[in-house]
Amino acid sequence: MLRVKKDIQAIFERDPAAKSILEVILCYPGLHALWLHRLAHALHRLGLVLLPRLISQFSRFLTGIEIHPGAKIGDGFFIDHGMGVVIGETTEIGDNVTIYQGVTLGGTGKEKGKRHPTIGNNVVIGTGAKVLGPIKIGDNAKIGAGSVVLHDVPEHTTVVGVPGRVVVYAGKRVPSIDLNHVDLPDPVAEMMRSLQRQIDELRVKQEELLKKEEKNGDSRLQLSDT
C-alpha cells in the first residue's frame, strides 16, 4: 500500500495536469502499466514464463506501454502519457525515474545475459529517446528528447543528439528532478556557431590584408611615376 501511495504521489509531483487521486487511478496508463508490471514481475521471479508474458501483452494492449516481466523498476517511477514506451527484459531502473512517450530502453543484438540499460536514480528520459545496450545512465542524468544513447552517461550530466553527446554542467549537483527534456544545449549547433565565428574572423582578416596590399600597390605605382 505504501508503494501505491508513492506511485500516485510521484504523478502529482511531476504532472501539473493531475487534479485528483481518482483521476490519476482511472486515467493514467503509465500507472496501470506499472501496476500490471509488478504483478507480471512477481510471477516472473517465481519462474513462470507464459503467464507473466500474457500479462505484459495485455498491459501493452491496454496502455500502449510494453514492459518485459523481467525488468526491474524502483520506487517513484513515472511514465508520462507512455504510448510507444518499450522496456526490455534485463533493464534495471532506479528510484524517481521519469520517462516520456516513445522511449525505448532496448538491446542492440542477439547476445545473451545483460543486454539492456541500467538507469540510475532521479533520471529523466525525454520523448522519443532511445537508450540501447547494456550501458549505465548515472544518477541525476537527463536524456534529451529524440536522443540516441549508446554509451555510458556519467552522473549529473545531460545527453542530447544522435548519437547522444554528453553536456557537463560544471559538475554541479542537481538539487531536484528537472523535467525539462526539450530546452537543452545542442553541442553540434554550438560547434557550427563556433566554426561560423572563425570563418567570419578569417574573412575580416582577409579583407584587411587585401586592403593593405592594394594600398601598398598604389604607393609603389606613385613612386614609379615620380
Side-chain angles (χ1 to χ4, degrees), residues 108-197:
T108 55
K110 295 182 179 180
E111 67 276 8
K112 299 292 184 180
K114 176 66 173 169
R115 60 190 185 279
H116 298 98
T118 297
I119 311 298
N121 301 321
N122 306 315
V123 172
V124 176
I125 304 178
T127 302
K130 313 301 177 187
V131 184
L132 306 176
I135 62 176
K136 293 184 179 180
I137 308 300
D139 295 347
N140 301 303
K142 187 194 298 185
I143 311 299
S147 299
V148 177
V149 184
L150 304 173
H151 303 286
D152 291 353
V153 174
E155 297 180 355
H156 312 298
T157 58
T158 296
V159 170
V160 295
V162 181
R165 296 171 178 83
V166 173
V167 179
V168 181
Y169 283 115
K172 292 182 180 178
R173 187 179 182 83
V174 179
S176 61
I177 300 172
D178 182 358
L179 299 179
N180 182 2
H181 58 110
V182 178
D183 185 20
L184 301 175
D186 186 344
V188 176
E190 288 293 335
M191 185 181 298
M192 295 300 294
R193 282 192 286 269
S194 176
L195 287 172
Q196 185 61 53
R197 284 194 295 269

Side-chain angles (χ1 to χ4, degrees), residues 80-105:
D80 195 1
H81 297 289
M83 181 61 69
V85 166
V86 177
I87 299 175
E89 179 182 10
T90 60
T91 301
E92 298 176 45
I93 299 175
D95 296 333
N96 303 317
V97 171
T98 304
I99 66 176
Y100 291 82
Q101 63 270 24
V103 166
T104 298
L105 306 179

